[in-house]
Amino acid sequence: PSRFTIAIDGPAASGKGTLARRIADYYGYHHLDTGLTYRAVAKALLDENMALDDEFLAEKAARSIDLSKLDRTALSTHEVGEAASKVAVMPAVRRALVASQQAFAQRSPGTVLDGRDIGTVVCPDAPVKLYITASPEARAKRRFEEIKSTDGSVQYEEILADLTRRDARDMGRTDSPLKPAADAHLLDTTEMDIETAFLAAKKLIDQAL
Ligand code: C5P
């Protein structure tokens, strides 16, 4: 095919981001971490001291997000992630961001998008859909190992509680809740390292190419 899209969804710290980057590198495709778009809206509101549930302002911020200017470092904080899952419940915000994500998905020769609703809403026709899971404990442990080097005060129990709360918000919302598409391949990475997960994904992709 002249253009190919791979949709990757899953909960926070499931490993979907690392996997998406690895796949995009390998196939020479463009990668979009759609979580960054929700984070950018949240950060715009936080920076201006605006309420996170102001749908009018949030939609305005969502419409002005430039996908080529998403700064991962500034958007990666825990505070911005929490705020992102709050702005993500608003349908007007989702509509605006989904439109720019769908435009991104058209790029040649192919694209990898990762998020919560790629297989279900953003790219329902993607020829390959992956749904990445891992136990909450495994995800919390990975996140803990990641953060511990820069923040010595962080507690594993705290991270586990945060992840569980974020899962509940993402799975429980009315608009585009986190769930596997009917035709998604489930990949449980609880006992898998990134290379094993990549090889499993590669097999599925090569069959569809
Ligand atoms: O994946 P990440 O932690 O960066 O996402 C931050 C938040 O953005 C998620 O908790 C979720 O609420 C929201 N999000 C979403 N739909 C996506 C990507 C992220 O609702 N496609």
Side-chain angles (χ1 to χ4, degrees):
S2 63
R3 230 196 292 116
F4 199 81
T5 298
I6 300 162
I8 305 184
D9 292 299
S14 57
K16 65 181 188 306
T18 311
L19 182 64
R21 270 193 298 280
R22 178 86 175 81
I23 291 172
D25 275 352
Y26 180 84
Y27 290 96
Y29 290 173
H30 305 277
H31 169 230
L32 179 63
D33 170 355
T34 61
L36 291 180
T37 65
Y38 290 90
R39 285 171 180 265
V41 172
K43 183 155 194 309
L45 296 178
L46 289 172
D47 286 350
E48 302 286 332
N49 276 315
M50 316 257 221
L52 291 171
D53 60 355
D54 187 322
E55 191 152 10
F56 179 79
L57 291 175
E59 180 184 7
K60 213 171 134 211
R63 286 183 187 281
S64 57
I65 297 302
D66 182 345
L67 295 190
S68 65
K69 295 211 176 88
L70 297 169
D71 174 5
R72 173 171 296 279
T73 317
L75 298 174
S76 70
T77 69
H78 177 69
E79 185 198 13
V80 173
E82 276 288 304
S85 78
K86 291 179 185 158
V87 305
V89 305
M90 295 182 278
V93 170
R94 303 202 67 87
R95 260 196 309 276
L97 293 180
V98 166
S100 50
Q101 293 161 9
Q102 287 174 331
F104 182 95
Q106 300 299 316
R107 296 190 189 181
S108 290
T111 51
V112 182
L113 283 79
D114 73 272
R116 304 289 190 290
D117 61 342
I118 309 303
T120 51
V121 175
V122 181
C123 303
D125 298 327
V128 177
K129 299 179 184 179
L130 306 174
Y131 190 88
I132 314 301
T133 58
S135 71
E137 292 75 19
R139 292 188 283 128
K141 184 160 180 295
R142 287 176 196 161
R143 189 54 57 89
F144 176 68
E145 298 297 334
E146 233 171 70
I147 305 177
K148 163 170 101 172
S149 54
T150 49
D151 178 358
S153 70
V154 67
Q155 300 283 321
Y156 167 83
E157 280 73 22
E158 205 181 310
I159 294 179
L160 181 61
D162 280 347
L163 279 180
T164 310
R165 206 169 45 232
R166 184 109 74 86
D167 286 356
R169 202 180 288 140
D170 289 346
M171 292 175 182
R173 70 181 173 225
T174 320
D175 188 354
S176 316
L178 169 64
K179 63 162 187 233
D183 53 349
H185 300 279
L186 267 51
L187 211 59
D188 185 332
T189 66
T190 306
E191 310 275 341
M192 249 183 226
D193 61 16
I194 171 68
E195 205 46 33
T196 312
F198 169 70
L199 290 173
K202 180 179 178 300
K203 202 167 154 194
L204 294 166
I205 296 164
D206 289 343
Q207 278 164 7
L209 269 172

Coordinates of all heavy atoms in Angstrom, one line a residue, residues 35-73:
G35 N -1.1 11.5 23.1 CA -1.2 12.0 24.5 C -0.6 13.4 24.6 O -1.1 14.2 25.4
L36 N 0.4 13.7 23.8 CA 1.1 15.0 23.9 C 0.1 16.1 23.4 O 0.2 17.2 23.9 CB 2.3 15.0 23.0 CG 3.5 14.2 23.4 CD1 4.7 14.3 22.4 CD2 4.0 14.6 24.8
T37 N -0.8 15.8 22.6 CA -1.8 16.8 22.1 C -2.7 17.2 23.3 O -3.0 18.4 23.5 CB -2.6 16.4 20.9 OG1 -3.4 15.3 21.2 CG2 -1.6 16.0 19.7
Y38 N -3.2 16.2 24.0 CA -4.0 16.5 25.2 C -3.2 17.2 26.3 O -3.7 18.1 27.0 CB -4.7 15.2 25.7 CG -5.7 14.7 24.8 CD1 -5.4 13.8 23.7 CD2 -7.0 15.1 24.8 CE1 -6.3 13.3 22.8 CE2 -8.0 14.7 23.9 CZ -7.6 13.8 22.9 OH -8.5 13.4 21.9
R39 N -2.0 16.8 26.4 CA -1.1 17.4 27.4 C -0.8 18.9 27.0 O -0.8 19.8 27.9 CB 0.3 16.7 27.5 CG 0.2 15.3 28.2 CD 1.4 14.5 28.1 NE 1.3 13.3 28.8 CZ 1.8 13.1 30.1 NH1 2.4 14.0 30.7 NH2 1.6 11.9 30.7
A40 N -0.7 19.2 25.7 CA -0.4 20.5 25.3 C -1.6 21.4 25.6 O -1.4 22.6 26.0 CB -0.1 20.6 23.8
V41 N -2.8 20.9 25.4 CA -4.0 21.7 25.8 C -4.0 22.0 27.3 O -4.2 23.1 27.7 CB -5.3 21.0 25.3 CG1 -6.5 21.7 25.9 CG2 -5.4 20.8 23.8
A42 N -3.7 20.9 28.0 CA -3.7 21.1 29.5 C -2.7 22.1 29.9 O -3.0 23.0 30.8 CB -3.4 19.7 30.1
K43 N -1.5 22.0 29.3 CA -0.4 23.0 29.7 C -0.8 24.4 29.4 O -0.5 25.3 30.1 CB 0.9 22.5 29.1 CG 2.0 23.4 29.5 CD 3.4 22.8 29.4 CE 4.4 23.5 30.2 NZ 4.5 24.9 29.9
A44 N -1.4 24.6 28.2 CA -1.8 25.9 27.8 C -2.8 26.5 28.9 O -2.7 27.7 29.2 CB -2.5 25.9 26.4
L45 N -3.7 25.7 29.4 CA -4.7 26.2 30.4 C -3.9 26.4 31.7 O -4.2 27.4 32.4 CB -5.8 25.2 30.6 CG -6.7 25.0 29.3 CD1 -7.8 23.9 29.6 CD2 -7.4 26.3 28.9
L46 N -3.1 25.5 32.1 CA -2.3 25.6 33.4 C -1.5 26.9 33.4 O -1.5 27.6 34.3 CB -1.5 24.4 33.6 CG -2.1 23.1 34.0 CD1 -1.1 21.9 34.0 CD2 -2.8 23.1 35.3
D47 N -0.8 27.1 32.2 CA 0.1 28.3 32.1 C -0.7 29.6 32.3 O -0.1 30.6 32.8 CB 0.8 28.3 30.8 CG 1.9 27.2 30.7 OD1 2.2 26.7 31.8 OD2 2.5 27.0 29.6
E48 N -1.9 29.6 31.9 CA -2.7 30.8 32.0 C -3.6 30.8 33.2 O -4.5 31.7 33.3 CB -3.6 31.0 30.7 CG -2.9 31.0 29.4 CD -2.1 32.3 29.2 OE1 -2.6 33.4 29.7 OE2 -1.1 32.3 28.5
N49 N -3.4 29.9 34.1 CA -4.2 29.8 35.3 C -5.7 29.6 35.0 O -6.5 30.2 35.8 CB -4.0 31.0 36.2 CG -2.8 30.7 37.1 OD1 -2.6 29.7 37.7 ND2 -1.9 31.7 37.2
M50 N -6.1 29.0 33.9 CA -7.5 28.8 33.6 C -8.0 27.5 34.2 O -7.3 26.5 34.4 CB -7.6 28.7 32.1 CG -6.8 29.7 31.4 SD -7.7 31.0 30.8 CE -6.9 31.3 29.2
A51 N -9.3 27.5 34.4 CA -10.0 26.3 34.9 C -9.9 25.2 33.8 O -10.0 25.4 32.7 CB -11.4 26.6 35.2
L52 N -9.6 23.9 34.3 CA -9.4 22.8 33.4 C -10.7 22.3 32.8 O -10.7 21.5 31.9 CB -8.7 21.7 34.1 CG -7.2 22.0 34.5 CD1 -6.7 20.9 35.4 CD2 -6.3 22.1 33.3
D53 N -11.8 22.8 33.3 CA -13.1 22.3 32.7 C -13.8 23.4 31.9 O -15.0 23.3 31.7 CB -14.0 21.8 33.9 CG -14.3 22.8 34.9 OD1 -13.8 24.0 34.8 OD2 -15.1 22.5 35.8
D54 N -13.1 24.5 31.6 CA -13.7 25.5 30.7 C -13.6 25.0 29.3 O -12.6 25.2 28.6 CB -12.9 26.8 30.9 CG -13.6 28.0 30.2 OD1 -14.2 27.8 29.1 OD2 -13.6 29.1 30.7
E55 N -14.7 24.5 28.8 CA -14.8 23.9 27.5 C -14.5 24.8 26.3 O -13.9 24.5 25.4 CB -16.1 23.1 27.3 CG -16.1 22.2 26.0 CD -17.0 21.0 26.1 OE1 -17.8 21.0 27.1 OE2 -16.9 20.2 25.2
F56 N -15.0 26.1 26.5 CA -14.8 27.1 25.5 C -13.3 27.4 25.3 O -12.8 27.3 24.1 CB -15.6 28.4 25.8 CG -15.4 29.5 24.8 CD1 -16.1 29.4 23.6 CD2 -14.5 30.5 25.1 CE1 -16.0 30.4 22.7 CE2 -14.4 31.5 24.1 CZ -15.1 31.5 22.9
L57 N -12.6 27.7 26.4 CA -11.2 28.0 26.3 C -10.3 26.8 25.9 O -9.4 26.9 25.1 CB -10.7 28.6 27.6 CG -11.2 30.0 28.0 CD1 -10.7 30.3 29.4 CD2 -10.7 31.0 27.0
A58 N -10.7 25.6 26.4 CA -10.0 24.4 26.1 C -10.1 24.1 24.6 O -9.1 23.7 24.0 CB -10.5 23.3 27.0
E59 N -11.3 24.3 24.0 CA -11.5 24.1 22.6 C -10.6 25.0 21.8 O -9.9 24.6 20.8 CB -12.9 24.2 22.2 CG -13.1 23.9 20.7 CD -14.5 24.1 20.2 OE1 -15.4 24.7 21.0 OE2 -14.8 23.8 19.0
K60 N -10.6 26.3 22.2 CA -9.7 27.3 21.6 C -8.3 26.8 21.6 O -7.6 26.9 20.6 CB -9.9 28.6 22.3 CG -9.8 29.8 21.3 CD -10.2 31.1 22.0 CE -9.2 32.2 21.7 NZ -9.0 33.1 22.8
A61 N -7.8 26.4 22.8 CA -6.4 25.9 22.9 C -6.2 24.7 22.0 O -5.2 24.6 21.3 CB -6.1 25.6 24.3
A62 N -7.2 23.8 21.9 CA -7.0 22.6 21.1 C -6.9 22.9 19.6 O -6.2 22.3 18.9 CB -8.2 21.7 21.4
R63 N -7.7 24.0 19.2 CA -7.6 24.3 17.8 C -6.3 25.0 17.4 O -5.9 25.0 16.2 CB -8.7 25.3 17.5 CG -10.1 24.7 17.4 CD -11.2 25.7 17.0 NE -12.5 25.1 17.1 CZ -13.0 24.4 16.2 NH1 -12.3 24.1 15.1 NH2 -14.2 23.9 16.3
S64 N -5.6 25.5 18.4 CA -4.3 26.2 18.0 C -3.1 25.3 18.3 O -2.0 25.8 18.2 CB -4.2 27.5 18.8 OG -4.3 27.3 20.2
I65 N -3.3 24.0 18.6 CA -2.1 23.1 18.8 C -1.4 22.9 17.5 O -2.1 22.5 16.5 CB -2.6 21.8 19.4 CG1 -3.2 22.0 20.8 CG2 -1.4 20.8 19.5 CD1 -2.3 22.6 21.8
D66 N -0.1 23.1 17.5 CA 0.7 22.8 16.3 C 1.5 21.5 16.5 O 2.3 21.4 17.4 CB 1.7 24.0 16.1 CG 2.5 23.8 14.9 OD1 2.6 22.7 14.3 OD2 3.2 24.8 14.4
L67 N 1.1 20.5 15.8 CA 1.7 19.1 16.0 C 3.2 19.1 15.8 O 3.9 18.2 16.4 CB 1.0 18.1 15.0 CG -0.4 17.8 15.2 CD1 -0.8 16.6 14.3 CD2 -0.8 17.6 16.6
S68 N 3.7 20.0 15.0 CA 5.2 20.0 14.8 C 5.9 20.7 16.0 O 7.1 20.8 16.0 CB 5.5 20.7 13.5 OG 5.2 22.1 13.5
K69 N 5.2 21.3 16.9 CA 5.8 22.1 18.0 C 5.6 21.5 19.4 O 5.6 22.2 20.4 CB 5.4 23.5 18.0 CG 5.8 24.3 16.7 CD 6.0 25.8 17.0 CE 6.5 26.5 15.8 NZ 5.4 27.0 15.0
L70 N 5.2 20.2 19.4 CA 5.0 19.5 20.7 C 6.3 19.2 21.4 O 7.1 18.5 20.9 CB 4.2 18.2 20.5 CG 2.8 18.5 19.9 CD1 2.2 17.1 19.5 CD2 1.8 19.2 20.9
D71 N 6.5 19.9 22.6 CA 7.8 19.7 23.3 C 7.6 18.7 24.4 O 7.1 18.9 25.5 CB 8.1 21.1 23.9 CG 9.4 21.0 24.8 OD1 10.0 19.9 24.9 OD2 9.7 22.0 25.4
R72 N 8.1 17.4 24.1 CA 7.9 16.3 25.0 C 8.4 16.6 26.5 O 7.7 16.3 27.4 CB 8.7 15.1 24.5 CG 8.7 13.9 25.4 CD 9.3 12.7 24.6 NE 8.4 12.3 23.5 CZ 7.4 11.5 23.7 NH1 7.0 11.1 24.9 NH2 6.6 11.2 22.6
T73 N 9.5 17.3 26.6 CA 10.1 17.5 27.9 C 9.2 18.4 28.7 O 8.9 18.0 29.9 CB 11.5 18.2 27.8 OG1 12.2 17.5 26.7 CG2 12.3 18.1 29.1

